[in-house]
Structures are given as C-alpha cells and as structure tokens.
Amino acid sequence: MSVVSFSKQGNIGLISIDNPPVNALSQAVRAGLRDAVAQGLADESVAALVLWCEGRTFIAGADIREFGKPMQPPDLPAVTKSMEDARKPIIAAIHGTALGGGLEVALACHFRIALPTAKVGLPEVKLGIIPGCGGTQRLPRLIGVKGALDMIVSGEHVAATKAHVLGVIDEIVEGDLKAQAIAYAQRLAAERRAPRRVSEARAKTESPGFFDEYRKSIAKKSRGFLAPFRAIDAVQAAAELPFDAGMKREREIFAELVASPQSKAQRHVFFAEREVAKIPGLPPDVKPRDVKSVGIIGAGTMGGGIAMCFANAGLPVKLLEMNRENLERGLNTIRKNYANTVSKGSLKQEEMDQRMALLAPTLSYDDFKDVDLVIEAAFEDMGIKKEIFAKLDAVCKPGAVLASNTSYLDINEIAASTKRAGDVMGMHFFSPANVMKLLENVRGAKTAPDVYATAMEVGKKIRKVPVLVGVCHGFVGNRMLAKRSRECGFMLEEGALPQQIDKVLYDFGFPMGPFAVSDLAGLDVGWRNRKSIFDKLSPREQANNILDQICDLGRYGQKTGAGFYKYDEKRNPTPDPLIEELIIKHSRERGIARRRVGDQEILERALYSMINEGARILAEGIAARPLDIDIVWIYGYGFPVYRGGPMFYADQIGLKTIYEAILKYQKQVGEEYWRPAPLLEKLAKQGKGFYSEA
Ligand code: T1G
C-alpha cells in the first residue's frame, strides 16, 4: 500500500501521506511526495495542490531511525525545492504536530492552514542536530530572526493559534480540515494567486551584536550542548547570506552534528525513553488494573509531593497521617507549592482549587478500604513499614495495589508482612516528587505481572518516566550512586577537595556536583543512611567519617546555611576553609599522605565505579536492559542527556578502556572496591559494548 497517494477533487490535486504512526518522512514518503507533486504539476486540469496527512498528525519529522545510515535518495531538500519552485500553489493542511522536517515541508509549500488544536515546531536541537531542510533559512524569512531563533533554539512546540499570530500559519480553520483545505485552494485558484515562495523573502536583520547577545542568553540553559549554539550560527547565515548559500551552511552544520557523539546520545535517549515503558517478556494478555483513587500514607516531603502528582493527574487522593498537626503541615506545604506555581503564572487559581479539592486528609486507615492503589511514604524504617503494610492488608479491598516509596529497603520483606505479596511492589519517587520525572517501579519476587504493569501505567498517567527494576539495596539508581559516593569520599581523604570533585562532574554535564547535591538534599539524610548500613561498610569506609564530622558541627547543608560549602542568604555556595582544614586534618589522622588527584582520575573513579555496578545490575537482572539504567540516571540524577546515560556513555568510551582503568584502580584503591564486573570484562574482551551485546 503506497504511503503517498494523489487524487483530484475538481481542479484541486490532493496529495495524501499515510505512513503511521506519525507520517515520518521515510525514503518511501520522500519519493512518493516527489512523484505526487510532479503528477499534480503535470496535470493541466489541476490548478492548485493540497498536501494532507492521514492518521493522527501531519508529518512529525524525518524518520529518526534512518539517521546514521546512508541517506537513500531523494533527499528532503531536493523534494522541498521541487515543491517551492512549483508554478502552481501548494497548500499544507496541518493537524496534530508538524515537526522538524514536517514543518520544513510545510514551509516549502506556498500557504499553510491548520486546525486550532495543531502544533508546529522545529525540535531538532532535542536530538542534538539542527533543522536540516531549510528550517533555519525559511523560518527567519517568514517570521523574523528573533521569532525563528526562539522556536529553533528551544525546540519547543508552538500552538497553531500562536503560530498564526507569528505568521507561520496563514489561516486557522475549524471542522473538516481536508474539505477546508480544498476550499482554500479553490479560492486561491479562482483568484489566480501565484505561489508565494518564502525563500524569496529577506530575513529582517537584527542590530549588530544581536546574535552574540542571543548566544549569551542561552549560555546557562544550554550549557554543554552543541546544537542550540550551532542553530544560532545557521540562523545568522539566513540573515547574512543569500538563500542558497544559507542552505549550504545549514547542511554543513547539520551534517557535522548528525555525526556527533552528542546527537547519537540524544537520539538514543529519544527511543530509550519510549522503550523503557515497555516491559520485556510481559505476556500480551496481561492488563493493568484500573486505578481511579489513591491512598497515600505520610504527608511529609515525599508523601505530599506524591499526592500532588496524582491530584495533578485529576485522581482523588486520600492523604493519611498519624496526627492532625502533621496532616495540616503537609496540606499547607502542598497549598504553598501550588500557590507558588500560580504566582509564576503556570497554573490558574481555579486549577489549584480543583487539585486541592481532590486531596482528602484523614487520620484513619478505614478510609483506605475502597482505594485502588496505596503508596506508603512513611519513615525509612523496616519495622514501621511492616506495621503499615499489615494494617493495609487488613483494610484494603482485594485487588488494591500496595506500594512502598522506599528508596532502598527490601520490598520482599515488606510484602511478607501481608497475605497478598502479589499485590505489593515498590514505587520509588525522587525528591521533589512533584518535579522529578523518574519513578523506579520495584517488582518483588512475588509481585504479580498485572501489578507491575499497573505501576507502569500509573507512572505514565501521572506523567513520570517509569522504569521497572528489581529488588536489591538501592535498586538501580541509589545502588550505583553509592559507588560514586564511596569513590568521591575516598578521593577527599586522598587529596581532592569538594569543589574540585564537584567541578569535574559539573563540567561533565551534571547540573551539580555530588557534594553540592548532598548539601541540597541535606547531609543528615546521607548521615542517617550511613548509620543504618554502617556495620555493612568496609573498615576504610567506616573510618572515612568526614561526613559525620561535618554533621557533628550541625552543618546539614543548605538548610543550615553550611555543609560541605557555606551559603549566603541566597543559598549561593562558597568553599569553606574550615572544611578544607577538617579534610586535611582527617587525612593526617588517617595517615594518608595527601596527593594531587587529577581531574581525569576523578571523572573515571566517579563514573567507572557506577558503570561497573551497572554491569552487575544488568547481569543480576535488576535492570532488564542497559537503556533502563540510562533512563534512571538521566531522569533521576541529571546525567547529561547529550552523553546518553552511563551505559551508552560507556560504549562511547569503549568497554576495553573502562576495563583497563578498573584494573588500574584495583591496584591503586584495592581489590575490595575495584573488581571488574564479569559482564563488563566479557564484553570488553569480545570488543563489544552493552548495546552491541543485545
Ligand atoms: N522518526 C521515527 N519514529 C518516530 C518519530 C520520528 N521522527 N517520531 C515518533 N516516532 C515513533 C516513536 O518512536 C514511537 O514508536 C511512535 O512513533 C509514537 O511516538 C529534516 C532531520 C510526534 C509528538 O523530533 O516528538 O525532522 O514506540 O510515543 O507521544 O530537519 O513522537 O510506537 O515504536 O512519541 O503521541 C524531528 C519526534 C525529527 C519529532 C508524537 N521530529 N517525535 O508523540 O507518540 S528530525 C521530531 C515526537 C528532522 C529535519 C530533521 C513525538 C510526537 P513506538 P510517541 P506521542
């Protein structure tokens, strides 16, 4: 069945694209489009052409799966040139999302109409590239340099109604888009309107220095990314060069970026964040349970944030606390959070009121008897959790899913405190729960498949990125984080300082370094965790008590004005000589001769310790695929998306290189901490990667 067809309605030629799911511009679509346009132009009875797409959306872009492979002709610029050069008007009829190459095809048309619900955008920067088919040259000519830069550098979708105001869309039409497009074309034909070619317009040049100012304006937000800055170069070419020269410049930049490690990483993440929601091996007949109401235990930081997630998704929430005072405090925090969002203008007051109305506070477990899902977010203490789950077992209806938000405790042990282990699992949110996208869904040994399918479905419903993981201390994210923290703690006593380690990881692309993150989260949280596992730590880890010493000074991080750093009233950090002295004194007392620890060593010990643990996690089946680990780290810990996640990054570095470094640190730091994971060693010796193994 052809993906592009041509038909006639009176004197109007109709080009229809039908390439589900999103009418991507595959080779067949490009060839079909070229041929259909030629057919319409050759037909004397056709006065104008309409380009239309079947299914849920107009063309959503090039077929990203073709990237990295030799481009099969015809290439898109050739097809769009034939459209723009056409001597008959071509009208693009847009519904759904006209994105990337889709919008570029529409810009090569002579007129554009859209439904009010449609959206347009040039999201290429999110794939580490820039528009490669005239978007950076035509859009500035159509709507001006500033508007074009805002769209191209952000990559954000723009509602058709706004795009109409900007000048991208000529007319917003209601109802039957195809019929409206044909009528629009007939009017143009009756008026003998000539094709209007965007490339013939001039891009209104801005004041000198405009582009450098624009580069400065995105420096913070786009730190580390290549594509947004290269997109500015391409738009500057549109303002300074003739169209053909600008197109050549755009292609050069596009070609450079599409081959870049950053773009390969961002394209990997694009597919991984979609693949991660699919549970490998889940029988197709397993359906998630219906979740229409939720009970949450604990109205503290986590419980309150989780409650907001469900209220935001329109689900009624029963919020339980041990006493009225805690309940009120929790509700006030939620109210303040919403009010803050309203004051920023990103939430309407009535929306806030609707969401608050969905939150029903309670002090009684009996109110949980009809809920479909309970999420426990109480104190991180196994005894307390067992008591809670025993109560839930007694109160909740059959089939209710009972989940714990624990960040590292054993779900199997919690499940054993009920008579319905099949209904029990972990749903580990990341703080702040109403902001962080990651949700680690922890399936217990006895968790029923439809229960973890339910947790994955719920994750999507509340707009999280759910990842299914297995039971172990710290699951995936925190288990790998513990290795990074261990190495960073060791490097402090060996000679590095917090600000040096933080800078290395910040420059790698993390939003903050590990010590700045600890200060933000609260050092007392890590201190409590350290105490709870102290007897499991090695002698060296036990003796490395820099964190304890800082906490003993009452320095818990930002919330107390000082931690590893000291903070001014705006919470801006500065290195504290007192901490430097404390660390140096600690090394002396430990008999460790301090040395200069190089940045490369810091990066390798921080990242390779995590990657090595990730290999173990894969081999144990705690994560089903390397992409699950990548998504956990990108969405849970800010691993830079342009590096693809720890496992994708490991493949780009090469497992052989990492394996040799692990052997080096095994000698330097000790066999107890640096043993190559068998899977990593095997793949390294086979010259494979985590992704090439599959
Ligand atoms: N290429 C290939 N597959 C794509 C695709 C694309 N452009 N877009 C989506 N898919 C697949 C996706 O992997 C999933 O597959 C299914 O379609 C549904 O997607 C020349 C070079 C359009 C807003 O960046 O933003 O044009 O999991 O789950 O939530 O200058 O898809 O079912 O197997 O996301 O309704 C520019 C990317 C490309 C748009 C729909 N375009 N896509 O969201 O569905 S570069 C983009 C999206 C380019 C030009 C350059 C979203 C969507 P599966 P979905 P959705």
Side-chain angles (χ1 to χ4, degrees), residues 20-22 24-25 56-67 76-77 97 99-102 104 121-124 126-127 129-135 157 250-251 254 258 270-271 274-275 278:
V22 296
L25 287 157
R56 60 182 170 145
T57 177
F58 190 77
I59 305 165
D63 186 335
I64 308 171
R65 293 184 197 282
E66 288 184 356
F67 289 177
L76 194 57
T97 49
L99 299 173
E104 291 175 302
L122 293 173
E124 286 86 342
K126 297 188 180 204
L127 297 169
I129 51 178
I130 65 165
C133 187
H157 300 177
E250 177 191 81
R251 283 310 281 179
F254 174 84
V258 81
F270 174 85
F271 289 113
R274 287 160 173 81
E275 200 60 29
K278 297 168 191 166

Side-chain angles (χ1 to χ4, degrees), residues 239-468:
E240 297 173 353
L241 299 175
F243 181 76
D244 289 346
M247 286 292 282
K248 184 168 174 294
R249 189 83 190 89
E250 177 191 81
R251 283 310 281 179
E252 285 163 0
I253 295 171
F254 174 84
E256 175 200 320
L257 289 177
V258 81
S260 69
Q262 284 204 2
S263 181
K264 287 175 184 158
Q266 289 177 253
R267 296 185 326 247
H268 154 66
V269 174
F270 174 85
F271 289 113
E273 64 192 5
R274 287 160 173 81
E275 200 60 29
V276 78
K278 297 168 191 166
I279 304 172
L282 184 72
D285 60 338
V286 171
K287 295 284 168 268
R289 296 179 189 174
D290 222 3
V291 173
K292 290 197 165 39
S293 61
V294 181
I296 291 171
I297 297 175
T301 310
M302 291 308 289
I306 296 168
M308 290 177 71
C309 294
F310 286 95
N312 296 346
L315 273 86
V317 175
K318 291 198 165 78
L319 187 56
L320 180 136
E321 255 293 355
M322 290 181 298
N323 57 56
R324 173 79 42 210
E325 186 203 349
N326 288 0
L327 210 44
E328 280 312 311
R329 188 183 317 116
L331 282 170
N332 286 338
T333 305
I334 293 171
R335 198 173 288 113
K336 254 193 320 218
N337 283 339
Y338 277 137
N340 189 25
T341 313
V342 168
S343 65
K344 285 184 194 156
S346 33
L347 187 72
K348 295 192 186 76
Q349 184 59 50
E350 59 269 23
E351 287 171 319
M352 170 178 163
D353 298 343
Q354 281 160 5
R355 293 179 192 188
M356 287 307 296
L358 286 169
L359 302 174
T362 176
L363 296 172
S364 161
Y365 276 85
D366 291 345
D367 285 336
F368 279 17
K369 63 182 185 313
D370 297 327
V371 297
D372 302 315
L373 164 68
V374 178
I375 299 178
E376 169 271 320
F379 204 63
E380 277 294 79
D381 173 280
M382 183 55 88
I384 293 174
K385 292 189 188 303
K386 284 182 170 179
E387 270 173 43
I388 289 172
F389 273 77
K391 280 185 196 158
L392 291 174
D393 194 19
V395 169
C396 293
K397 68 184 180 185
V401 173
L402 310 181
S404 171
N405 170 57
T406 180
S407 52
Y408 58 87
L409 294 176
D410 186 333
I411 294 296
N412 296 327
E413 203 178 327
I414 292 172
S417 62
T418 74
K419 296 187 220 39
R420 53 168 113 181
D423 293 339
V424 177
M425 69 178 295
M427 291 182 76
H428 175 216
F429 289 78
F430 283 69
S431 183
N434 52 308
V435 173
M436 292 302 284
K437 300 283 280 179
L438 180 65
L439 171 62
E440 273 185 326
N441 282 326
V442 190
R443 75 188 183 300
K446 295 185 178 147
T447 303
D450 68 326
V451 170
Y452 53 77
T454 305
M456 298 300 279
E457 196 59 29
V458 164
K460 281 190 276 188
K461 190 183 283 186
I462 60 175
R463 305 181 65 73
K464 295 292 178 189
V465 178
V467 183
L468 189 62

Side-chain angles (χ1 to χ4, degrees), residues 28-323:
V29 171
R30 296 195 301 274
L33 186 53
R34 173 200 58 198
D35 298 346
V37 168
Q39 187 175 348
L41 296 181
D43 186 326
E44 286 310 316
S45 70
V46 167
L49 294 168
V50 165
L51 172 59
W52 146 271
C53 288
E54 298 289 350
R56 60 182 170 145
T57 177
F58 190 77
I59 305 165
D63 186 335
I64 308 171
R65 293 184 197 282
E66 288 184 356
F67 289 177
K69 299 171 192 152
M71 176 58 79
Q72 302 296 321
D75 75 25
L76 194 57
V79 176
T80 49
K81 183 167 177 13
S82 68
M83 295 173 72
E84 188 176 56
D85 290 351
R87 50 188 165 67
K88 298 177 183 175
I90 303 178
I91 296 94
I94 298 171
H95 71 295
T97 49
L99 299 173
L103 179 56
E104 291 175 302
V105 165
L107 292 173
C109 293
H110 307 110
F111 299 89
R112 288 156 291 279
I113 69 171
L115 291 180
T117 50
K119 291 186 179 145
V120 300
L122 293 173
E124 286 86 342
V125 290
K126 297 188 180 204
L127 297 169
I129 51 178
I130 65 165
C133 187
T136 66
Q137 306 304 306
R138 288 194 173 94
L139 195 60
R141 285 175 164 79
L142 191 61
I143 65 172
V145 166
K146 172 74 171 61
L149 277 172
D150 290 347
M151 279 184 68
I152 295 167
V153 170
S154 70
E156 293 308 318
H157 300 177
V158 172
T161 45
K162 180 175 177 207
H164 179 219
V165 172
L166 288 170
V168 178
I169 302 292
D170 295 298
E171 194 166 309
I172 297 290
V173 296
E174 304 274 356
D176 182 337
L177 179 62
K178 191 190 312 189
Q180 295 271 18
I182 287 169
Y184 188 91
Q186 283 165 340
R187 280 201 305 279
L188 291 180
E191 295 160 8
R192 297 192 179 290
R193 290 284 293 275
R196 186 186 56 176
R197 297 186 181 88
V198 175
S199 60
E200 291 168 357
R202 292 261 329 124
K204 294 186 210 56
T205 44
E206 298 288 338
S207 56
F210 170 82
F211 292 102
D212 285 340
E213 280 312 304
Y214 203 93
R215 288 182 181 94
K216 282 198 199 101
S217 74
I218 67 162
K220 195 163 184 311
K221 184 166 182 294
S222 302
R223 177 178 69 90
F225 288 90
L226 286 172
F229 298 94
R230 303 311 315 276
I232 298 173
D233 298 343
V235 172
Q236 187 164 1
E240 297 173 353
L241 299 175
F243 181 76
D244 289 346
M247 286 292 282
K248 184 168 174 294
R249 189 83 190 89
E250 177 191 81
R251 283 310 281 179
E252 285 163 0
I253 295 171
F254 174 84
E256 175 200 320
L257 289 177
V258 81
S260 69
Q262 284 204 2
S263 181
K264 287 175 184 158
Q266 289 177 253
R267 296 185 326 247
H268 154 66
V269 174
F270 174 85
F271 289 113
E273 64 192 5
R274 287 160 173 81
E275 200 60 29
V276 78
K278 297 168 191 166
I279 304 172
L282 184 72
D285 60 338
V286 171
K287 295 284 168 268
R289 296 179 189 174
D290 222 3
V291 173
K292 290 197 165 39
S293 61
V294 181
I296 291 171
I297 297 175
T301 310
M302 291 308 289
I306 296 168
M308 290 177 71
C309 294
F310 286 95
N312 296 346
L315 273 86
V317 175
K318 291 198 165 78
L319 187 56
L320 180 136
E321 255 293 355
M322 290 181 298
N323 57 56

